[in-house]
């Protein structure tokens, strides 16, 4: 085969090669591929309300009237049963407001749509419980006897943990000196959190920064491990602050308000 092809003129050789290549593209273009296509999703202010009810409800201690916003961010991905073809993938690769991700990176493999929805809801509920533990643990004795309820509809997964924890701290303690943790700004971010306050990576950060900028944020809190991803397509006018712990995040926001040095990516 190789020797025969070598005696063809270049145009003929290219034409011969193109036949199976075009056939492959045509087949791939029609076949569903194991990818999900994601785009910037909604954001929600954890200091505010969701569907008319407060996202954070605290009993057992006085709470503060806050200004500014703490917006958790999401991505919107094609569903686990959606058919993603070659055209969708190519379109996603060449657009900055889309991302093509392996389906298993977005959804657990081997599960039905209903099981995936239940899994995501479970992750969100676990994230909320952990955020409460992290925030009250950070506040220590100031939070003795405090009970917190979190409610945010139509959002799944664990990536709002950091923002939930910050919202609780702001409502109970602010910046620790009578001011708001936000400094009156619209601050967005993402990140999981553990009971002892460690912040974890989440994925989809470049899309979340776009959602944050669209909804008025000027500062974005990003897990430090994802700095490079966030910087790659950072919207103009959005400042990144890398974080690794809840206490470090609070310190960074205090420093921001005082005009002191703040970590950067």
């Amino acid at each position: 085969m190789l020797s025969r092809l070598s005696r063809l003129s270049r145009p003929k050789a290219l034409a011969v090669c193109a036949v199976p290549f075009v056939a492959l593209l045509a087949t791939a273009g029609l076949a569903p591929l194991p990818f999900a296509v994601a785009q910037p999703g909604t954001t929600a202010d954890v200091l505010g309300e969701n569907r008319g009810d407060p996202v954070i409800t605290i009993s057992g201690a006085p709470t503060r009237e806050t200004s500014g916003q703490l917006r958790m961010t999401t991505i919107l991905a094609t569903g686990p049963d959606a058919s993603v073809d070659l055209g969708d993938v190519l379109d996603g690769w060449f657009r900055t407001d889309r991302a093509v991700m392996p389906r298993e990176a977005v959804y657990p493999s081997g599960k039905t749509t209903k099981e995936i929805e239940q899994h995501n809801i479970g992750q969100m509920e676990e994230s909320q419980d952990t955020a409460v533990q992290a925030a009250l643990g950070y506040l220590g004795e100031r939070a003795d006897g405090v009970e917190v309820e979190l409610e945010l509809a139509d959002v799944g997964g664990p990536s709002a943990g950091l923002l939930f924890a910050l919202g609780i701290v702001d409502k109970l303690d602010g910046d620790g000196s009578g001011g708001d943790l936000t400094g009156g700004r619209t601050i967005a971010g993402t990140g999981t959190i553990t009971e002892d306050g460690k912040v974890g990576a989440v994925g989809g950060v470049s899309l979340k920064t776009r959602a944050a900028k669209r909804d008025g944020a000027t500062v974005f809190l990003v897990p430090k491990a994802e700095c490079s991803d966030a910087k790659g397509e950072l919207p103009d006018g959005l400042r990144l602050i890398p974080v690794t712990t809840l206490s470090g995040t609070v310190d960074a926001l205090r420093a921001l308000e005082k005009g002191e040095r703040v970590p950067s990516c």
Side-chain angles (χ1 to χ4, degrees):
M1 180 60 130
L2 291 174
S3 60
R4 180 178 176 83
L5 187 58
S6 67
R7 292 196 296 271
L8 296 175
S9 66
R10 180 173 178 80
K12 289 181 179 179
L14 289 176
V16 170
C17 291
V19 172
F21 180 68
V22 170
L24 177 62
L25 281 181
T27 303
L30 296 173
L33 299 174
F35 295 104
V37 179
Q39 63 187 48
T42 59
T43 73
D45 178 19
V46 301
L47 295 174
E49 295 184 345
N50 179 249
R51 294 185 175 182
D53 296 318
V55 176
I56 301 174
T57 302
I58 297 175
S59 57
T63 57
R64 304 176 58 258
E65 289 291 331
T66 59
S67 66
Q69 299 180 18
L70 285 170
R71 302 196 76 87
M72 55 80 64
T73 54
T74 68
I75 61 172
L76 180 64
T78 51
D81 293 333
S83 179
V84 176
D85 60 27
L86 181 62
D88 299 320
V89 171
L90 292 176
D91 181 60
W93 273 334
F94 287 102
R95 291 177 59 169
T96 58
D97 61 343
R98 298 286 189 275
V100 178
M101 309 165 107
R103 187 173 294 175
E104 62 268 19
V106 180
Y107 301 110
S109 60
K111 292 183 180 292
T112 67
T113 300
K114 185 174 182 179
E115 287 173 335
I116 290 170
E117 291 174 352
Q118 292 174 339
H119 173 77
N120 286 339
I121 291 171
Q123 282 192 315
M124 170 59 84
E125 291 173 349
E126 183 178 353
S127 168
Q128 292 174 340
D129 292 341
T130 304
V132 172
Q133 295 294 330
L136 298 186
Y138 169 79
L139 293 170
E141 292 182 0
R142 287 170 289 179
D144 286 350
V146 173
E147 294 185 5
V148 181
E149 292 183 10
L150 301 176
E151 184 65 37
L152 188 59
D154 300 327
V155 177
S159 65
L162 172 63
L163 273 295
F164 280 137
L166 288 172
I168 296 167
V169 171
D170 199 14
K171 281 184 171 291
L172 285 171
D173 197 49
D175 65 358
S177 302
D180 293 301
L181 195 56
T182 63
R185 299 175 176 84
T186 297
I187 294 174
T190 191
T192 63
I193 200 160
T194 62
E195 290 185 4
D196 58 355
K198 291 185 177 65
V199 176
V202 292
V205 168
S206 63
L207 297 176
K208 292 179 179 180
T209 58
R210 290 183 174 276
K213 177 64 177 177
R214 179 198 67 208
D215 291 354
T218 56
V219 175
F220 191 88
L221 306 171
V222 58
K224 188 175 181 179
E226 296 180 290
C227 261
S228 60
D229 291 340
K231 287 171 63 177
E233 296 172 357
L234 185 68
D236 292 339
L238 189 64
R239 179 176 184 172
L240 291 178
I241 298 181
V243 295
T244 58
T245 65
L246 175 59
S247 61
T249 306
V250 173
D251 289 344
L253 292 177
R254 287 172 174 165
L256 182 67
E257 178 61 15
K258 294 177 182 177
E260 299 173 351
R261 186 176 178 274
V262 178
S264 62
C265 287

